[in-house]
Amino acid sequence: MVRTRIVWATAALLTATLAVAAAPAVAAPTTATRAAAACPTGWGSLDKTYLAGTSTPLTNVRTGRHDCYDQFVIDVPGTSSAELGYSVGYVDQLYQDGSGRPIAVGGGAVIEVRVNAPAYNVETGASTYPGRVAQPLPGVNLTGYATFRDTRYAGSFEGVTQFGLGVRARLPFQVLRLPGHVVVDVAHTW
């Protein structure tokens, strides 16, 4: 009786081993594959533009880190998304509007962000944003960011405010218009 149980147990173990060995091997998704599935990057890297404008001044610029992208946000309080025009694209060199002065921006690639809103009160001329031309953006710390490397203020000329965003490499990006905000998301990978 004991001998029969041992024979049956051995046969069951052998069958299970053969079944596992005969099953096709399926590789578990790699981390990169899982990340690609979770992080859509079909945004592309071509210029993006929306033609509109406002005389409402911008007041702040901030950044944020997300799992799939780094985010650049320009605050223009009191505006609707339809009023917020922009032009965003990769450039070889950032040049200040009006003067043509080159502004150095660190990183493997440079995105020029132009928002069709002044950084000053159009009635008084008083500045509404504390940025200084060719300097890093005040209050923005890029430590720990996966994509962003540098930010520069290029000034505000004839109702258009210009920024330079230094990124690790030429990566896909998208631009969103939300009430009171223009948002630029730059992907961590392709």
Side-chain angles (χ1 to χ4, degrees):
M1 179 91 141
V2 173
R3 193 177 262 173
T4 305
R5 283 189 200 157
I6 293 173
V7 170
W8 281 109
T10 304
L13 184 58
L14 183 58
T15 303
T17 303
L18 289 174
V20 169
V26 178
T30 64
T31 302
T33 305
R34 285 191 301 266
C39 297
T41 57
W43 304 332
S45 63
L46 297 178
D47 294 357
K48 294 162 180 57
T49 302
Y50 180 78
L51 298 176
T54 182
S55 60
T56 303
L58 66 87
T59 58
N60 190 37
V61 176
R62 53 199 164 88
T63 59
R65 293 182 295 172
H66 298 272
D67 290 341
C68 299
Y69 55 89
D70 289 348
Q71 189 169 72
F72 186 77
V73 181
I74 299 140
D75 296 326
V76 189
T79 57
S80 71
S81 60
E83 295 174 281
L84 295 173
Y86 62 81
S87 176
V88 179
Y90 282 96
V91 295
D92 294 328
Q93 171 73 53
L94 180 66
Y95 293 98
Q96 182 184 26
D97 283 348
S99 73
R101 170 185 171 191
I103 297 175
V105 182
V110 177
I111 298 175
E112 179 181 35
V113 179
R114 299 164 55 93
V115 178
N116 300 341
Y120 53 85
N121 182 305
V122 294
E123 293 177 12
T124 66
S127 179
T128 59
Y129 177 68
R132 296 176 47 118
V133 172
Q135 298 299 308
L137 303 183
V140 172
N141 180 352
L142 300 180
T143 303
Y145 280 71
T147 297
F148 291 170
R149 296 294 182 258
D150 192 14
T151 59
R152 297 292 163 159
Y153 181 60
S156 192
F157 181 73
E158 295 184 348
V160 177
T161 304
Q162 183 183 22
F163 302 94
L165 181 58
V167 295
R168 181 173 47 79
R170 187 178 178 118
L171 294 163
F173 69 92
Q174 71 174 348
V175 183
L176 306 170
R177 292 175 300 110
L178 305 170
H181 312 286
V182 173
V183 179
V184 180
D185 295 331
V186 184
H188 293 169
T189 63
W190 275 95

